């Protein structure tokens, strides 16, 4: 039974990281209907900036996390400004391909730095003995990751519910024409959506980097793993991203814990999300919490 | 009206049959025939190194794959981020024969044209299965479905003992009329075979686009509700577009397997899928000859970047591997620049050149 609870705990940890990664993805999709395939790269860049600031410049990690969130805020905003703004109204394939091109460009830039080829790990700043919850263990780093995720997500929820900017972003995602007519600058909102996505990406990257170590491949793979999460949750639902993130984390941990090694299966955690994705697309394409507005043939 | 069948300065079609013609003038036809025969005979006159021939073979295999991708993404307007997986299905069809029967079985070495077509059919089956969500979904969701097929394919190969966990599975040398194809003739031999397949595929697609089924594809792309109203079945059309794309991809995969005499997962990853998409876009989506420009442009660019990186490596510290950084960077930059400034691809430049020479030397 403790094995089961151990899996639940690690599932929640992984799931909360997925939730945070998916959050940025959903923010961009919700406001501008852009599928950002380069999200994993932004996550990686955020993690690297935090590392560089903490280790190379000697800034305390929480301060450097905030600084790197600021950096990706402007990175993502300028990406939107330079590449995507002029593609508003272009066919969907152009927009998707631009984010793919962006992914390649960021890949190239990262490979220029040492982070592209070498592995780094964050200095340990929390106690290394895990917390014992009656036989179930959770490390301090993981706990910190979950806490930061919860804080970030509740912060975002508050932002979208109460602040004027957040409300205008929701308005744009609801109806662009109507929000233009009441004086909301739609391009500015697109930029802001990208910026907030960049901000959450840096946080996600830093948490992942702390838990698994800094490896470019692992980090940017999160940009692809968010697809099953956001489809399960519904492409345009922030609540969906959170719930689906945790569900996906649990499914992966259970698969790794119970399926692997039996019946000749191996590495099921890697493939199960995509199989679930295909099934959801076939039977319930709008996901758990998405708006039931799928364009059908 | 007596029209000049050799030269024309514009379109003077007076019947629908006229408009359906592939070659509007005799000059077009003769240029095409000369060009095609030149492609067939040049290896007889020029001695080329194996390395150079391999590059050309690679480009041509990519052309076959891109013809398929152009059907689904260019003509039918459905984004496929899993094309390399379909190519992989073709290649791994051969690989499974090789695993079951041994790599020098008669079926693989003697009946290879049959095997190539079989791989194509296998690709078509998988294409149609992955296309099934297209019955209900559009655009983004479909792109994600193909992406997940790519991931599932990679996992299947990487974790199954039958496929040797993605390690290279070898395939024997093929036999031709005169016996086994020798090592030194290998690349030239496959040059001819791939060329024949390209010509066949090219004619097939060119003719497909003149038929009801081909026009169905672009009708569904442009407006599927209108297409529905005119009696077409958009869902079925999409599934069949995916099937066709899978067919060409499968053929490309089989050719790839034979050319390299082995199948390994690294040629069919997500990155390759993205490269195929980039080729299709740089070449020009929705044009047949774009399928030829795109692969050539991307592969040549890749080679040039590699040469450049090698040269620049002398001036840089040894720890920096410039090639790994420059390749994705230029690749991404080319995609983005094309999308922003020439979304219709190189095919559009070709169109401009063509319309210019049509009127030359009499300009407006």
């Amino acid at each position: 039974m403790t094995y089961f609870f151990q899996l639940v705990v690690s599932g929640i940890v992984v799931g909360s990281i997925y939730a945070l990664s998916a959050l940025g993805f959903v923010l961009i999709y919700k406001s501008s209907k852009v599928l950002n395939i380069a999200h994993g790269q932004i996550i990686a860049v955020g993690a690297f900036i935090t590392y560089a600031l903490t280790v190379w410049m000697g800034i305390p990690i929480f301060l450097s996390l905030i600084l790197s969130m600021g950096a990706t805020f402007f990175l993502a905003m300028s990406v939107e400004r330079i590449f995507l703004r002029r593609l508003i109204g272009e066919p969907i394939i152009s927009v998707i391909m631009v984010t793919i091109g962006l992914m390649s460009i960021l890949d190239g830039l990262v490979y220029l730095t040492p982070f592209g080829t070498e592995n780094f790990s964050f200095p340990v700043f929390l106690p290394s003995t895990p917390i014992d919850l009656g036989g179930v263990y959770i490390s301090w780093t993981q706990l910190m990751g979950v806490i930061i995720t919860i804080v970030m997500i509740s912060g975002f929820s508050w932002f979208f519910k109460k602040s004027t900017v957040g409300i205008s972003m929701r308005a744009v995602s609801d109806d662009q024409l109507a929000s233009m007519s009441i004086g909301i600058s739609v391009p500015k909102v697109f930029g802001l959506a990208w910026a907030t996505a960049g901000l959450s990406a840096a946080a996600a990257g830093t948490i992942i980097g702390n838990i698994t170590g800094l490896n470019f491949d692992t980090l940017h793979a999160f940009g692809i793993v968010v697809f099953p999460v956001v489809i399960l949750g519904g492409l345009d639902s922030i609540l969906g991203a959170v719930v689906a993130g945790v569900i996906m984390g649990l499914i992966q941990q259970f698969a790794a814990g119970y399926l692997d090694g039996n019946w000749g299966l191996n590495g099921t955690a890697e493939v199960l999300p995509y199989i679930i994705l295909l099934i959801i697309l076939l039977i319930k394409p709008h996901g758990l919490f998405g708006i039931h507005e799928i364009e059908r043939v | 009206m007596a029209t000049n069948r050799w030269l024309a300065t514009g379109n003077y079609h007076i019947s629908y049959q006229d408009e359906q013609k592939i070659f509007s003038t005799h000059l077009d036809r003769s240029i095409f025939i000369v060009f095609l025969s030149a492609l067939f005979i040049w290896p007889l006159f020029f001695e080329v190194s194996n390395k150079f021939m391999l590059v050309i073979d690679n480009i041509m295999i990519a052309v076959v794959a891109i013809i398929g991708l152009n059907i689904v993404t260019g003509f039918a307007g459905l984004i496929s981020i899993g094309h390399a997986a379909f190519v992989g299905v073709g290649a791994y069809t051969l690989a499974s024969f090789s695993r079951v029967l041994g790599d020098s079985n008669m079926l693989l070495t003697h009946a290879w044209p049959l095997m190539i077509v079989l791989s194509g059919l296998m690709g078509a089956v998988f294409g149609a299965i992955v296309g099934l969500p297209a019955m209900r979904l559009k655009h983004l969701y479909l792109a994600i479905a193909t992406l997940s097929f790519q991931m599932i394919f990679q996992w299947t190969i990487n974790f199954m003992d039958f496929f040797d966990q993605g390690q290279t599975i070898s395939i024997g040398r093929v036999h031709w009329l005169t016996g086994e194809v020798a090592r030194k003739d290998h690349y030239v031999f496959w040059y001819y075979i791939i060329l024949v397949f390209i010509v066949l595929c090219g004619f097939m697609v060119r003719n497909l686009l003149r038929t009801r089924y081909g026009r169905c594809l672009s009708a569904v792309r442009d407006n599927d509700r209108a297409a529905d109203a005119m009696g077409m079945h958009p869902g079925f059309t999409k599934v069949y577009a995916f099937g066709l794309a899978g067919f060409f991809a499968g053929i490309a995969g089989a050719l790839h397997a034979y050319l390299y005499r082995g199948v390994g997962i690294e040629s069919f990853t997500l990155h390759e899928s993205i490269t195929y998409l980039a080729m299709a876009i740089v070449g020009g989506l929705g044009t047949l000859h774009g399928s030829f420009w795109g692969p050539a442009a991307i592969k040549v660019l890749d080679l040039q970047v590699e040469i450049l990186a090698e040269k620049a490596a002398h001036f840089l510290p040894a720890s920096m591997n410039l090639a790994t950084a420059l390749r994705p960077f230029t690749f991404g930059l080319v995609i983005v620049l094309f999308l922003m400034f020439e979304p219709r691809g190189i095919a559009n430049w070709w169109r401009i050149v063509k319309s210019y020479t049509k009127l030359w030397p009499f300009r407006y």
Side-chain angles (χ1 to χ4, degrees):
Chain A
M1 209 55 196
T2 42
Y3 185 56
F4 175 79
F5 284 113
Q6 185 65 56
L7 288 180
V8 169
V9 166
S10 45
I12 288 172
V13 171
V14 175
S16 65
I17 299 174
Y18 283 164
L20 197 52
S21 314
L23 181 71
F25 190 89
V26 168
L27 280 178
I28 292 175
Y29 182 80
K30 202 171 156 68
S31 70
S32 57
K33 299 280 178 285
V34 171
L35 210 60
N36 178 21
I37 296 178
H39 197 63
Q41 272 67 14
I42 300 178
I43 290 177
V45 168
F48 296 150
I49 294 175
T50 317
Y51 180 86
L53 290 175
T54 325
V55 178
W56 296 347
M57 321 256 300
I59 299 172
I61 188 157
F62 283 104
L63 189 60
S64 55
L65 171 64
I66 289 166
L67 285 177
S68 99
M69 276 158 67
T72 47
F73 183 90
F74 287 108
L75 170 76
M77 199 183 222
S78 45
V79 159
E80 197 275 340
R81 187 71 194 79
I82 297 169
F83 297 111
L84 283 134
R85 178 121 353 143
R86 57 177 80 210
L87 286 176
I88 292 176
E90 292 277 322
I92 274 175
I93 178 151
S94 305
V95 181
I96 289 186
M97 274 314 283
V98 159
T99 61
I100 287 178
L102 214 61
M103 176 176 103
S104 264
I105 292 176
L106 287 175
D107 269 349
L109 291 178
V110 169
Y111 281 126
L112 277 180
T113 65
F115 293 112
T117 41
E118 287 166 51
N119 291 334
F120 295 89
S121 53
F122 275 100
V124 182
F125 66 100
L126 290 164
S128 56
T129 44
I131 311 160
D132 187 350
L133 307 164
V136 179
Y137 293 96
I138 178 169
S139 76
W140 281 96
T141 332
Q142 290 175 333
L143 188 65
M144 187 56 90
V146 176
I147 291 172
I148 293 179
T149 307
I150 292 171
V151 169
M152 293 274 305
I153 287 171
S154 25
F156 272 114
S157 319
W158 174 84
F159 174 74
F160 285 112
K161 270 234 149 60
K162 301 284 177 193
S163 74
T164 324
V165 184
I167 290 171
S168 65
M169 283 169 84
R170 280 199 292 150
V172 168
S173 83
D174 201 38
D175 191 335
Q176 288 187 9
L177 217 56
S179 42
M180 253 191 267
S181 72
I182 52 166
I184 297 169
S185 161
V186 173
K188 205 175 267 174
V189 166
F190 287 177
L192 257 177
W194 273 79
T196 39
L199 197 132
S200 71
T206 306
I207 294 170
I208 300 166
N210 266 300
I211 293 175
T212 67
L214 283 173
N215 174 294
F216 185 46
D217 287 333
T218 327
L219 282 167
H220 75 66
F222 273 82
I224 302 294
V225 181
V226 294
F227 280 103
V229 175
V230 293
I231 289 290
L232 176 62
L235 258 176
D236 46 12
S237 157
I238 291 173
L239 175 67
V242 175
V243 174
V246 174
I247 292 176
M248 211 48 102
L250 287 172
I251 288 175
Q252 276 201 323
Q253 290 302 315
F254 285 139
Y258 289 117
L259 289 179
D260 282 5
N262 303 332
W263 309 294
L265 287 171
N266 228 330
T268 39
E270 282 176 42
V271 76
L272 215 54
Y274 299 101
I275 294 174
I276 294 172
L277 191 164
L278 272 187
I279 296 170
I280 293 167
L281 280 185
L282 276 172
I283 56 174
K284 194 171 161 56
H286 41 76
L288 295 174
F289 299 93
I291 297 171
H292 290 229
E293 194 193 15
I294 298 289
E295 267 195 281
R296 279 172 204 278
V297 180
Chain B
M1 189 174 93
T3 48
N4 186 346
R5 294 292 285 131
W6 281 93
L7 285 167
T9 49
N11 295 335
Y12 302 111
H13 304 311
I14 46 173
S15 68
Y16 284 114
Q17 266 93 10
D18 256 1
E19 207 186 4
Q20 293 288 319
K21 277 193 186 121
I22 293 179
F23 301 108
S24 56
T25 61
H26 291 320
L27 193 65
D28 282 357
R29 193 191 309 262
S30 5
I31 289 174
F32 179 75
I33 291 170
V34 169
F35 177 67
L36 203 60
S37 16
L39 279 181
F40 271 99
I41 57 177
W42 74 266
L44 302 176
F45 296 104
F46 297 96
E47 196 66 37
V48 288
S49 66
N50 271 351
K51 199 179 159 199
F52 183 71
M53 211 62 200
L54 179 63
V55 172
I56 292 185
D57 287 354
N58 256 325
I59 292 176
M60 298 201 328
I61 289 175
V63 167
V64 178
I66 297 300
I67 289 177
L69 185 60
N70 239 330
I71 290 178
V72 76
T73 305
F75 295 114
L78 312 161
I79 306 159
S80 166
I81 320 187
H83 204 62
F86 296 122
V87 178
V89 166
Y92 272 95
T93 310
L94 285 188
S96 23
F97 272 96
S98 158
R99 289 288 277 186
V100 174
L101 301 170
D103 65 353
S104 307
N105 189 274
M106 286 279 283
L107 215 51
L108 281 172
T109 55
H110 289 75
W112 49 266
L114 185 75
M115 296 306 295
I116 292 175
V117 174
L118 185 71
S119 308
L121 292 177
M122 204 64 190
V125 169
F126 273 87
I129 293 173
V130 176
L132 278 183
M135 292 283 231
R136 300 182 60 190
L137 301 169
K138 268 174 96 169
H139 306 315
L140 288 175
Y141 291 90
L142 209 52
I144 298 173
T146 53
L147 177 80
S148 68
F149 174 66
Q150 170 79 47
M151 302 313 280
I152 292 171
F153 172 79
Q154 267 170 255
W155 179 84
T156 314
I157 303 298
N158 273 327
F159 282 94
M160 268 173 74
D161 287 331
F162 181 68
F163 295 116
D164 214 4
Q165 264 101 11
Q167 310 253 340
T168 307
I169 298 168
S170 72
I171 284 165
R173 289 187 180 283
V174 297
H175 286 248
W176 182 236
L177 299 174
T178 50
E180 198 180 72
V181 177
R183 179 186 291 268
K184 68 173 170 48
D185 298 333
H186 183 75
Y187 292 115
V188 178
F189 174 77
W190 282 106
Y191 170 78
Y192 280 111
I193 302 301
I194 300 167
L195 191 57
V196 168
F197 270 98
I198 287 185
V199 172
L200 288 178
C201 294
F203 269 100
M204 213 173 123
V205 173
R206 190 70 192 80
N207 279 315
L208 172 83
L209 296 175
R210 304 200 295 167
T211 62
R212 172 196 159 86
Y213 293 101
R215 288 195 299 269
C216 217
L217 292 176
S218 28
V220 168
R221 170 193 63 191
D222 292 341
N223 190 335
D224 50 4
R225 287 196 187 122
D228 204 2
M230 294 181 71
M232 300 162 192
H233 193 309
F236 170 73
T237 309
K238 288 178 180 183
V239 173
Y240 123 92
F242 266 106
L244 265 179
F247 178 70
F248 290 113
I251 286 180
L255 292 170
H256 185 276
Y258 272 126
L259 178 69
Y260 282 88
R261 304 207 300 107
V263 182
I265 184 67
E266 69 280 352
S267 315
F268 313 109
T269 52
L270 178 62
H271 180 254
E272 293 301 313
S273 283
I274 290 171
T275 314
Y276 283 137
L277 260 182
M279 285 175 181
I281 283 177
V282 168
L285 278 174
T287 54
L288 185 57
H289 54 103
S291 322
F292 298 85
W293 302 115
I298 294 280
K299 296 260 178 187
V300 168
L301 177 83
D302 213 34
L303 279 180
Q304 295 305 318
V305 167
E306 216 159 278
I307 294 167
L308 181 78
E310 257 170 43
K311 280 190 182 143
H314 297 301
F315 310 105
L316 288 168
S319 62
M320 252 173 86
N321 191 350
L322 201 62
T324 46
L326 265 187
R327 278 172 72 179
F329 185 75
T330 44
F331 175 72
L333 206 62
V334 165
I335 300 177
V336 170
L337 289 180
F338 259 96
L339 282 170
M340 291 203 300
F341 300 111
E342 187 58 279
R344 282 180 292 179
I346 299 177
N348 197 35
W349 301 350
W350 174 247
R351 194 185 59 79
I352 292 167
V353 169
K354 219 167 128 185
S355 64
Y356 180 81
T357 52
K358 210 170 207 176
L359 295 173
W360 187 88
F362 307 109
R363 272 175 281 174
Y364 290 116

